[in-house]
Amino acid sequence: RKVDDARLENPLHNRVDDVAGAYSRLADDSSSEMQKREAALMLSTAEGELNNENASEALKTAMQALPKFRDLGDKSAEHDTLRLIVNAHRMEADFAFADRPEEAERIAEEELAKFKEQGDKRGQAAMLLSKAECMCDHRRTRPSQLEDAEKWAQEALTIFREIEDKKMIATALLEIANIYSLKEEPTEVYEAANEAREFFKAIEDKKGDARALHG
């Protein structure tokens, strides 16, 4: 179990996207419509629950936020909420000592297919990154599976670069650094984490910068 813990607790390995601050500000924005503010508060609250390792409460609250964001047609918020839902399922699988986060993987795969049909690039990238993160949760990850995880994370990174989403570029780079650490490629770990730091600094994300620095 100690080896497994080390894998799951690596600061480079994404568990929470740290979007609560942005959605908390949106919830407080009196110029926004009430349904959007309510959904934003739910997502912010759900991430707080996830940070407190209360996966079931996080899941319940995020599942309430998701249809609201979908009704509003807020695609970015839908992607962010789905990633939180996947992350909550990943955490539940970890706490249950499961070999792999099966429900998290099922949701990521299902939503990826939907986003491909819709031509939703950011949605595809969000779920590709989730798939990579899920693969790295496996208790026994074969070299070929790490190759798959790297491919998905790199695909996600390419899309995030195209749409200039700095937060998610940095988040993808952190997971790529984690994959390189699992492959025992220290030079590549350093390069990916260092580039992630540049993007976190650009958006003044101190928490992300600290994760990249200590990876």
Side-chain angles (χ1 to χ4, degrees):
R1 179 67 179 151
K2 280 184 180 172
V3 174
D4 297 337
D5 280 343
R7 170 169 291 199
L8 289 160
E9 288 168 16
N10 181 343
L12 295 169
H13 189 29
N14 296 323
R15 289 170 71 92
V16 180
D17 282 346
D18 194 31
V19 295
Y23 283 97
S24 182
R25 287 189 291 277
L26 179 58
D28 291 337
D29 182 3
S30 58
S31 66
S32 289
E33 57 187 296
M34 188 51 72
Q35 189 175 349
K36 183 173 275 195
R37 292 176 67 186
E38 285 173 359
L41 181 59
M42 285 176 182
L43 182 51
S44 176
T45 303
E47 191 176 271
E49 295 288 1
L50 203 59
N51 273 318
N52 291 332
E53 298 192 339
N54 193 346
S56 59
E57 277 303 311
L59 194 54
K60 190 169 86 175
T61 309
M63 290 297 287
Q64 290 173 328
L66 185 61
K68 288 180 182 290
F69 284 130
R70 281 178 167 159
D71 288 347
L72 289 160
D74 189 333
K75 299 300 286 184
S76 287
E78 179 186 350
H79 310 150
D80 293 343
T81 307
L82 280 167
R83 275 188 51 81
L84 195 146
I85 289 166
V86 170
N87 287 343
H89 280 296
R90 288 173 58 210
M91 188 176 284
E92 286 193 329
D94 177 31
F95 290 165
F97 302 98
D99 285 339
R100 51 184 289 196
E102 287 186 36
E103 183 62 11
E105 289 178 317
R106 185 193 65 76
I107 293 167
E109 193 65 59
E110 197 174 276
E111 296 296 336
L112 175 61
K114 288 182 196 170
F115 289 135
K116 278 182 176 171
E117 271 182 34
Q118 297 164 9
D120 182 338
K121 287 288 192 183
R122 188 178 185 273
Q124 289 174 55
M127 292 300 99
L128 281 164
L129 183 56
S130 285
K131 279 184 59 168
E133 291 157 356
C134 287
M135 184 66 85
C136 293
D137 285 350
H138 286 214
R139 300 287 174 198
R140 289 169 289 278
T141 314
R142 297 191 304 275
S144 63
Q145 292 176 314
L146 285 178
E147 293 299 329
D148 285 341
E150 185 182 347
K151 184 184 79 173
W152 297 330
Q154 290 285 5
E155 280 180 45
L157 177 61
T158 299
I159 296 171
F160 289 134
R161 288 193 197 278
E162 283 171 7
I163 62 177
E164 299 180 359
D165 187 328
K166 290 179 182 175
K167 171 85 169 175
M168 293 310 294
I169 290 170
T171 304
L173 281 164
L174 277 189
E175 195 58 37
I176 288 166
N178 176 57
I179 294 164
Y180 285 138
S181 74
L182 295 175
K183 291 171 73 177
E184 298 180 355
E185 297 176 2
T187 304
E188 284 80 0
V189 173
Y190 173 78
E191 287 175 0
N194 219 32
E195 191 182 356
R197 285 196 71 197
E198 289 174 24
F199 283 99
F200 281 128
K201 282 178 178 171
I203 58 172
E204 298 181 355
D205 185 333
K206 291 190 174 74
K207 199 181 288 185
D209 185 31
R211 280 181 59 211
L213 180 63
H214 294 113

